[in-house]
Amino acid sequence: MKTKFSGILTLLLALVVQLTFAQEKTISGTVSDESGLPLPGSTVLVKGTTSGTSTDFDGNYSIEANTGATLVFSFVGYTTQEIVVGASNTINVTLQEDATSLEEVVVVAYGTQKKEEITGSVTTIKTEAIADIPTASVVQGLVGQVAGVQIINQSGAPGADPTVRFRGIGSINSSSAPLYVVDGTVFNGNLNSINPQDIESMTFLKDASANALYGSRGANGVIIITTKKGGKDKLEITFDSKVGVNSRAVPEYDIITSSAQYYEAVYERIRIGLINGGSTPQDAAQTASNTLISGGDISIGYNAYDVADNAIIDTSTGRVNPSANLLYQDSWIDESYRNGFRRENYLSLRYQNDKSSSFFSIGNLKDEGIIINSGFERTTARLSSEFKPTDWLKISGSMNYAHTLSDDPLNRFTSGNVSNIAGWSRGTAPVYPVFSRNPQGGFILDSDGNRVYDFGLTEPGKIGTRPAFKSNTNPVATSLLDIDDNISDNLSGRLSASVKFLKDFEFTYNLSVDLTNANITQFATPIGGDAARFNGRITTRSNRGITIAHQQLLNWKRDFGRHSVSALIGHESNDYNFRLLAGQVTETVIDRLPVLDNGVNNQFLTGYEKDYTLQGVLSRVTYDFDDKYFVNGSFRRDGSSVFHPDNRWGSFYGLGAAWSVDKENFFNVSWINSLRAKASFGQQGNDAILYEDNRTIVGDLDNRNYYAYTDQFDIVNAGGNKPGITFFQLGNENLVWETSSNINAGIEFSLFNNRFNFNGEYFVRKVDDLLFFEPLAQSDGVGTKPENVGDMENKGFEIEMSGDIILNNNFSWSLGVNATHYKNEITRLPEEFIDSGNFRLQEGYSRYDYFMREFAGVDPTNGDGLWWTDVLDTNGNPTGEREQTNDRVNATEYFIGKSAIPDLYGGFFTNFSYKNFSLNVNFAYQIGGYGYDGVYQNLLGTTSAGDNFHKDVVFNSWTPENTSASIPRLDSTDVNQAGTSSFFLVDASYLNLQNVTLAYTFDTRLVNKLGLSSAKIYAVGNNLHMWSKARQGYDPRLSITGNAINEFGLARTTSLGLTLNF
Amino acid sequence: MKNFKYLFLFIILGTVFNCEEDFLDTAPARSISAEQVAETPAATAAIVSGIYANLRSFGIGNPARVDVDYGQKGIMAITDMMGQDIVLNNFNWYIFLYNYNGRAQTSSRTNIVWNTYYTAIADANSVINALSSNMDRSAEEDALLGQALAIRGFSLFNLVRVYAHTYIGNENEPGIPVPDRIDFDGKGRGTVQDTYDAIIPDLEEAVGLLNGFNRSSKQEIDQNVVHGFLANVYLETGQWQLAAENAASARAGYSLMPGDTYATDGFDDINNVEWMWGADIDNESSTTFISFFSHFDSSAGGYGGIGFGNGFKMMDGRLYDQIPDTDLRKAAWVDPNDATSPYPPYTNTKFIDATGTFEGDYSYMRAAEFYLVEAEAKARLGDATAADILFELVSNRDPAYVKSTSTGDALVEEIYLQRRIELWGEGVSWYDLKRLKKPLDRTGPGSTHKSFGLIDIEIEGDFFRMQIPQGELNSNPNIGVGDQNP
């Protein structure tokens, strides 16, 4: 090999002579480290140009350059070297290891740390990785990317915030939401007011040593967002534009969509119900046919055929009369959903010189949702500047403004309501027209010749009246005719000034203000729906939320030989004030004029304030010896206004240690580049106590109980303008924050010239003094009492791995994976058990262990569903045996042995780049865990007139002719067959193709001619495909508890983008 | 050093904003605290007013929206819909009462009855606990305590009639918890006797305390109203003399509306001369679609109205046929032979909300009821004036009415028929079936009940008691699965 190589070199040398005359020549060589090992992936650049390459797996490179040009060789962790091209066509370079360049800086609580100093669990996401992903809110795009962090997009409504959970379940009756910090101070605004493209990096603090400094608010994890700042000493201009399409990412449930099939299905439900009630098959068939349209339990009310009501069904076959002709067929699904258009433009400028730097950006997003008339628009402007007049004074500030407008027709409904457009469109019989029809099936037109929406009421000349629960509603019409605008102006300012003094000290003062002014305007149309009777209804809600925070931080840092010590002490205060004013009127005059003055009958006028203050003193000490041993400790004493004055102060701490094994002299393994071990322990708090009942209203979605230490009352109008006071919540003076004690131990290493990286961590997150709404007897009439009486534990591990599999001039391929597993267990409860919807809280079980009636199959003789129940002895006590019963209501509830918590979740990615192309593919997955398919349950319910069915009702439920079916008899009378039970649990495992980005970077020389420094075009697909074991329509990603409700489904977004840098 | 100047400047700046000593003391400005209530002189009166407000509000009974959950008037309708004199036209909000699925422990409907009253009892207890130990109460405080005791007694009485069989013959059967708001340990069911032993002293004490109390509106309970409660309680316990006396005291001072207005009145105005206690509904207190008139006014575009679901409430044809043609009340239901009516046969036009926007008032108690109570009690005592009292009421409604010559059980039956007609849709019919130990008969000859309501229940059958909510069994250590009604 060696000789052959020399031969080639000789040949190359021969060429050199000729190439010198041609000015440009090909230089080649090897880049290696001090020990002679090749450095694959090193960058070789011709200085002053953008032409460059990187070394292949053996450290070889080849590049074209002119004689006299300077080649710049660089590699992460090594000193950059410059070599002038001389006569030789071969340049071999040895790079020196550079200790300082390894010090990658990570943003942590109240400052930054070198990466190797960090003893806790921290994941940093550089947002270049996700800048191209078309999501309105930055966290939405990170599903599956951060080990230990579950990101759940609960709604596909554009601009909706996701639910984020760190390392298991943090609380039961308090908030489990993490704390957001933007540019150093806690952020208390709308997440969607931050333009993802303004973000430089995001840091996820997962353990005690990392986030103990956030004291009484850090228990559920901290997400630190750092925004972009001024860049190079040359004005950099970036323009980015994307256009795309939103479409439904999850196919609809397999519902009945044809009128014929629906009539047959309803006929069959009535017939089976009558037979079950004792009718003869003949009588049952006849009655079912006669009452199909009117006069029966679940009569439909609309005859879409040109035959008599009692002649739609041929009772001899149970099918639609072959001589009947369908007069019309509308599709609620087609009318409710659409493909939405998405457009986003972004421009940023950044500049830096010796004394100052600036960043400025403006952005605009218009994002249409997949449901008609839904959407999100945002305009952002950001200015951030830093000024260093001397080497000891630094002043910086930033201002972010965001105007958002969201329109969500589901907004007015409580979550999952069957009357919202998502629930309605799948749950309403396909025989009901969206537009009113005359008896011939033709459209009824208004005086302007427009089609009239059908609200299902009895109206002259119109076919049919919908049954009660389906009456006076048309979400397609009201989505289009109503107004539901949510406007928000968000202003966020940060100011920081720091002075260095006495050599080692630095004092910093930070001031932050987050201000949100919002106005929600709703106009409910007088044309139809629930406001028609009142000639329209207008609701306006205006609110203002402001958080002002001050921080005074004093830092000291000193190196003594191989010892390095730093200390921080600080004080912080936060002051939050929220004000709301809302009113509602009916009897409106001008259509679609959504101001209160346009109506006269006052329905309500409400206004209130909320205050929350917090104060803390904090300190941190770090010490390292010889860059090998790292220790740090932090302490915070915090007072929060949400607790009784006697109980409001608490102490929180974190301790951590790390050991860089690879720095030890005894450690000498050439293929291991780094090896670190770390451990931490500490305690943080959670003061975000919630109300037991939901007291949120549109415009104020904060359900926090800021006064849980006292009994609470509401002032009401007791009639005739006489004031009344009503009690609604018990308080508890002794209430304190929940305490989260965290143990974290991890190991991380890099192998093969840092081409393979691994980080693994084991964690125990124990939550003590868990706040419970301790259930008092329902008959005591006071609800529950908040108490710190439970303990819970999350134990698990998370791993992250990534590797560069191929790394050479033209082609590179890397892979990465992360996985998290945890077990949640309730270790102490005030009661033997507490029921919580489909779950029961009980010691030894997890927060989300299903407890419900257990489905035992179908009685083949009559189609009754069977459920397990305890066998009782003569005294009424369980004998321990169990038996099957067809009485669901009185059947015993059991732990089913299934949990909503997945066994493993995470994501993996693979990136390819070939010449100018790059391809990034991200997957998210979840293995194990069960969901509750409540939507399917609704679609199996056959006792409410006008409800649509899942096709399983027709094909897979018990009938006298299909006695071996696995689904019970679904007839028109029995509400228990589709009642809540384990029957509706589904495996929530999934694999989701989260996003795919294909980019092409134009050749630099080409774009330089156009005056650009670089240009890129890209295509991105978000939520492209999901593989799941659950039935079609069920989306396991939508909920932490896996309970499917009628929600705004997730969108698949495909877009094309262009990025230009000047 | 020059930089110290800046350092001090920043430190001063930083501390200026942070020096308030009471920085962490915030006061509630939405819901109010116990402290704020305690410092308000009129708080007790406002709490009593708050109980009345709750009793006509939506959503007190069940946290999730159920559109039959609108307080006392709603519970009156809930019980009526389980009787046999009201027919539900089609599958509608009251279906789960009409078909009895709502009685099951898993249903929100049983929760509505339970929680509405136990919430009222808890609030009343807070007033009772505060005032009963106070030995020098003002007259105003006496009246507040009297109202609170009345609300507690009335609520317990309704609960025991829903969750247990009638008093007579069931004295030792399980009753209902009687909470005190002193501790929150959860009370056991005790016996029916125990429950009445709590109800009667409450109401008797209230009568005394409310003596001379001149209420500001018919939304409040006064002495007459408590006499009304007691009359019904003693009727239930078979103490006929006390029932008759209290009934007479209850209606003292009230007159009857003219008989010909019965069918046109609409029963939607608290100023009606017969009304003794109710709720004055206006634009702000209206619960719109979740209201009595939404469900019971056939002309309104509510759940029970024309056009919108057609969930009409009709009279059973068998009862209608027993109303003489001369009876002016008969016009409050659609004549089956009337082809011009926009409504199906027997549909009620008794309840009409004249405001058109669901702001019709609620009647909880009418003087007419106490003619019937007094007459029945006297009939049972063998008092010859029983028929006179009945005549006084019925002759007002039916000019052709001839005074009854019956006595004893026959007269009681006649009074019962008048109760069914006069008080149709006013929340007594189901309690009467239980009290009079009659079966529920919807399937007998002439019944106009709908196929989805064809249920019969034997005398004191299981379905005559709602099951206690499953949540109570789970939360109350003193009521277990074995204490549940079958």
Side-chain angles (χ1 to χ4, degrees), chain B residues 375 383-396 398-407 410-411 414-415 418:
Chain B
D383 184 328
T385 62
D388 298 333
I389 293 159
L390 182 64
F391 180 77
E392 201 180 326
L393 172 70
V394 182
S395 62
N396 168 289
D398 178 1
Y401 180 71
V402 179
K403 195 171 113 177
S404 177
T405 53
S406 309
T407 57
L411 183 56
E414 201 180 313
I415 294 164
Q418 289 300 333

Side-chain angles (χ1 to χ4, degrees), chain A residues 297 392 471 500 530 533 552 573 601-602 613 648 710-713 717 722 725 778-779 835 853 893 943, chain B residues 3 14 18 23 25 31-32 34 46 56 91 111 115 118 220 283 289 309 356 451-452 470-472 474-475:
Chain A
D297 299 4
W392 50 264
S471 235
K500 288 183 179 155
D530 67 349
R533 181 162 183 81
Q552 298 87 23
S573 70
N601 194 353
N602 294 342
T613 52
R648 71 171 45 139
T710 171
D711 291 359
Q712 287 177 53
F713 301 78
N717 186 340
K722 195 171 179 178
I725 292 177
Q778 207 172 315
S779 54
D835 277 332
R853 295 185 169 83
E893 293 182 291
T943 56
Chain B
N3 44 2
N18 274 296
F23 181 71
D25 295 330
S31 57
I32 54 172
R56 52 118 177 97
F91 198 95
N111 274 287
N115 294 337
Y118 276 116
E220 294 166 13
N283 53 339
F289 284 94
S451 58
F452 43 86
Q470 190 169 289
E472 179 73 33
N474 287 338
S475 62

Side-chain angles (χ1 to χ4, degrees), chain A residues 73-85:
Chain A
F73 296 85
S74 60
F75 189 76
V76 177
Y78 291 79
T79 315
T80 300
Q81 245 190 73
E82 297 187 357
I83 293 175
V84 178
V85 178

Side-chain angles (χ1 to χ4, degrees), chain A residues 645-667:
Chain A
D646 297 344
N647 295 309
R648 71 171 45 139
W649 287 91
S651 303
F652 308 91
Y653 70 94
L655 294 168
W659 176 28
S660 290
V661 184
D662 55 295
K663 298 274 177 63
E664 297 287 356
N665 294 329
F666 63 79
F667 187 85

Side-chain angles (χ1 to χ4, degrees), chain B residues 428-449:
Chain B
V428 301
S429 68
W430 191 65
Y431 295 137
D432 275 353
L433 287 173
K434 297 177 67 173
R435 177 173 64 88
L436 298 168
K437 302 200 178 182
K438 292 177 178 293
L440 180 79
D441 165 25
R442 287 185 184 163
T443 62
S447 164
T448 56
H449 279 280

